[in-house]
């Protein structure tokens, strides 16, 4: 059973998420309709968001994944980014949209954007479901954003605490 006593309040409901996905998909469709889009999910946190987002996109696209690890199992960023799985796709001259669950310190994303830019894609943008701007250590510009959230530890809809709670259909605060 899910350990509910330590779960805080629900910050983003299932309905909120569905509404944001419709809006994000609309904006992405307008921008990429006639382009060959490659969606890149940052594992593991983004897989549920990406799965819902891609099913709301009416055009053709390809999907690839990167796996990174930046947290040593705790609730604050270690600041170290490790590439656990690189892309299968050559992104040179491709229109790449990186899909992330949350931008917190920005360390992971600024590292990834720099790494991918060096591969000379035709374009590189970032879509993130959540943004915690108050936690930022490195500037990251988010092209498509779902929600701005406070700097509390969050779980659900892909976000984990020590690999748990990713399957919650909503996003809740964690009272650690
Ligand atoms: P950053 O490098 O500090 O921006 O952190 C990026 C990654 O840390 C995100 O992609 C998440 O996977 C993870 N993360 C950041 N904040 C949270 C949170 O509140 N709950 C769960 N994971 C988080
Ligand atoms: Mg992540």
């Amino acid at each position: 059973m899910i350990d509910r006593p330590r779960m805080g309040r629900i910050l983003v409901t299932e309905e909120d998420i569905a509404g944001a996905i419709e809006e994000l998909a609309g904006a992405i469709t307008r921008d990429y309709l006639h382009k060959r889009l490659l969606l890149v999910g940052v594992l593991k946190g983004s897989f549920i968001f990406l799965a819902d987002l891609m099913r709301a996109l009416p055009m053709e696209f390809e999907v690839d994944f990167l796996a990174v690890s930046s947290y040593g199992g705790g609730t604050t960023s270690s600041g170290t980014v490790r590439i656990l799985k690189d892309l299968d796709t050559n992104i040179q001259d491709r229109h790449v949209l990186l899909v992330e669950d949350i931008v917190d310190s920005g360390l992971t994303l600024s590292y990834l954007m720099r790494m991918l830019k060096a591969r000379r894609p035709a374009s590189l943008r970032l879509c993130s479901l959540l943004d915690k701007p108050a936690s930022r250590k490195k500037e990251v510009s988010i092209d498509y954003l779902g929600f701005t959230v406070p700097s509390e530890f969050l779980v659900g809809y892909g976000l984990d605490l020590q690999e748990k709670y990713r399957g919650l259909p909503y996003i809740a605060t964690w009272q650690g």
Side-chain angles (χ1 to χ4, degrees):
M1 284 300 286
I2 291 172
D3 182 13
R4 283 182 193 282
R6 297 181 70 199
M7 197 97 69
R9 65 193 192 284
I10 295 181
L11 208 66
V12 188
T13 66
E14 274 189 80
E15 293 73 23
D16 294 337
I17 294 170
I21 286 185
E22 281 310 308
E23 288 194 17
L24 292 170
I28 292 167
T29 301
R30 282 191 291 281
D31 293 349
Y32 291 93
L33 194 54
H34 302 293
K35 292 188 177 132
R36 212 177 134 216
L37 174 62
L38 176 69
L39 295 169
V40 172
V42 183
L43 294 173
K44 300 173 191 173
S46 72
F47 79 105
I48 294 179
F49 174 44
L50 177 59
D52 283 343
L53 181 66
M54 63 190 268
R55 284 178 292 176
L57 295 176
M59 75 284 213
E60 280 193 24
F61 51 80
E62 290 165 45
V63 182
D64 201 348
F65 291 97
L66 269 172
V68 298
S69 169
S70 55
Y71 280 64
T75 57
T76 53
S77 180
S78 64
T80 321
V81 180
R82 269 200 305 145
I83 304 291
L84 305 177
K85 183 217 166 287
D86 206 334
L87 295 173
D88 297 329
T89 316
N90 177 356
I91 61 165
Q92 186 168 0
D93 302 326
R94 298 295 308 270
H95 292 285
V96 178
L97 180 59
L98 203 54
V99 179
E100 204 13 331
D101 49 358
I102 185 165
V103 181
D104 186 19
S105 69
L107 293 171
T108 308
L109 260 297
S110 65
Y111 178 88
L112 285 181
M113 294 296 271
R114 211 170 345 108
M115 180 186 98
L116 296 178
K117 225 177 206 146
R119 300 179 187 183
R120 307 194 174 284
S123 68
L124 177 63
R125 286 185 181 172
L126 173 62
C127 174
S128 183
L129 179 64
L130 305 169
D131 181 20
K132 282 185 194 170
S135 303
R136 205 67 98 250
K137 292 183 184 149
K138 281 237 168 151
E139 206 38 62
V140 170
S141 90
I142 304 174
D143 302 285
Y144 306 94
L145 174 66
F147 303 96
T148 299
V149 292
S151 293
E152 293 177 67
F153 197 77
L154 307 175
V155 293
Y157 199 71
L159 295 165
D160 72 306
L161 174 64
Q162 290 159 8
E163 297 302 326
K164 291 185 289 186
Y165 313 109
R166 292 193 199 274
L168 296 173
Y170 48 79
I171 294 160
T173 60
W174 182 262
Q175 319 279 50

